[in-house]
Amino acid sequence: MAKVQVVNVEVLDNPSPFYNPFQFQITFDCIEKLCDDLEWKIIYVGSAENDEFDQELDSVLVGPVPAGRHKFVFQADPPNPEKIPLQDAVGVTVVIITCTYHSKEFVRIGYFVNNEYEDMEMREEPPEKPEFGKLTRNILDSKPRVTRFKINWDDKPDSENMQCSNEENMMPSSPQVNFGSSIEDDGQDPEVFKTPKGPLGQIDSNASYGSVDMPVKPPVYENSTDSMDMRMFVE
């Protein structure tokens, strides 16, 4: 049984200009205390045809994680336009959120993203070289594609043989959210913490545990491709 269940992902600041940061408010349940970190990543698919154009926009370590319900805001800078093929800059692409434990991915949430010009004349006659500053990014947040993978939650890497109590005292080697002891969720937005990689926040409280309740039907775009769809499910 999975020890972590993603309950909800809310896309913030959407639609927005291309150069605005990506912002996702992630809520998840942890059925028992995790001594080690969860690693969350945001990946932007630069091209449906070649994964070498994928860009990891940010990654963050969350932990140790006590049992209960947790919420944090994951923010990442927009992709580097210079790493996106010109023919793939405008139109439909994909952004993916992944989470791993002990370097093993157990959930992947993919969204179709449509980049288009606000100006109707530019839509009808787009410039030969994309003008990213005039593009609007629209994430189809109502229809994410959610994939879950079975992992051994108790399997620890060979190099990690320390007891849980000792691991909690280790200094993080990368941006990290430490939940500490549980606090009551007052229903307000999560507090935001600044890290070298971007703002993060958290609110956690004891909660009943449920499965993910998210639609899995893909959106329909005229120029969407099967290869884009498959990138949400395979590495």
Side-chain angles (χ1 to χ4, degrees):
M1 180 179 179
K3 293 186 179 181
V4 173
Q5 293 279 357
V6 177
V7 177
N8 186 55
V9 178
E10 182 180 353
V11 182
L12 307 179
D13 189 27
N14 184 57
S16 67
F18 179 88
Y19 283 117
N20 277 20
F22 283 86
Q23 296 185 63
F24 299 94
Q25 182 170 278
I26 301 171
T27 304
F28 66 94
D29 285 338
C30 185
I31 66 171
E32 65 180 68
K33 180 179 180 180
L34 298 178
C35 297
D36 298 310
D37 300 325
L38 296 171
E39 183 176 19
W40 298 84
K41 295 181 180 181
I42 298 177
I43 300 170
Y44 185 87
V45 176
S47 172
E49 306 300 326
N50 194 330
D51 60 8
E52 72 176 59
F53 296 107
D54 288 3
Q55 296 186 46
E56 183 179 310
L57 303 183
D58 208 344
S59 65
V60 65
L61 299 178
V62 175
V65 184
R69 176 160 292 184
H70 307 280
K71 183 192 297 181
F72 71 100
V73 175
F74 192 1
Q75 177 171 307
D77 290 335
N80 183 348
E82 295 181 1
K83 297 181 179 180
I84 301 175
L86 295 181
Q87 67 273 16
D88 295 310
V90 181
V92 181
T93 186
V94 167
V95 65
I96 299 171
I97 302 172
T98 70
C99 192
T100 62
Y101 187 66
H102 292 162
S103 300
K104 296 178 181 177
E105 183 181 5
F106 64 89
V107 67
R108 174 175 296 198
I109 304 168
Y111 294 91
F112 283 94
V113 181
N114 190 31
N115 296 309
E116 63 180 359
Y117 294 106
E118 275 195 56
D119 186 86
M120 290 302 298
E121 292 185 4
M122 295 186 72
R123 290 188 191 182
E124 295 175 359
E125 297 184 13
E128 185 175 340
K129 184 176 181 180
E131 296 186 26
F132 290 92
K134 296 182 179 180
L135 287 174
T136 296
R137 179 183 68 226
N138 187 11
I139 301 173
L140 192 64
D141 56 352
S142 63
K143 295 183 178 180
R145 302 296 302 270
V146 182
T147 309
R148 305 171 188 86
F149 306 93
K150 289 184 179 180
I151 66 169
N152 184 349
W153 291 87
D154 299 317
D155 182 26
K156 293 178 66 64
D158 294 338
S159 60
E160 297 181 8
N161 296 313
M162 302 178 67
Q163 295 297 318
C164 180
S165 58
N166 292 332
E167 289 174 354
E168 291 178 354
N169 296 323
M170 294 176 64
M171 292 296 292
S173 57
S174 60
Q176 185 175 42
V177 177
N178 191 320
F179 285 108
S181 58
S182 292
I183 60 175
E184 291 187 0
D185 188 345
D186 58 8
Q188 299 180 359
D189 292 336
E191 184 178 357
V192 174
F193 296 89
K194 296 291 184 179
T195 75
K197 293 280 235 169
L200 298 164
Q202 58 85 22
I203 291 177
D204 60 86
S205 64
N206 292 328
S208 59
Y209 310 117
S211 59
V212 176
D213 182 16
M214 303 176 78
V216 296
K217 278 184 133 183
V220 177
Y221 285 120
E222 290 183 0
N223 57 338
S224 63
T225 64
D226 291 339
S227 56
M228 279 185 181
D229 193 43
M230 291 301 296
R231 293 291 292 286
M232 296 185 183
F233 296 90
V234 297
E235 296 183 359

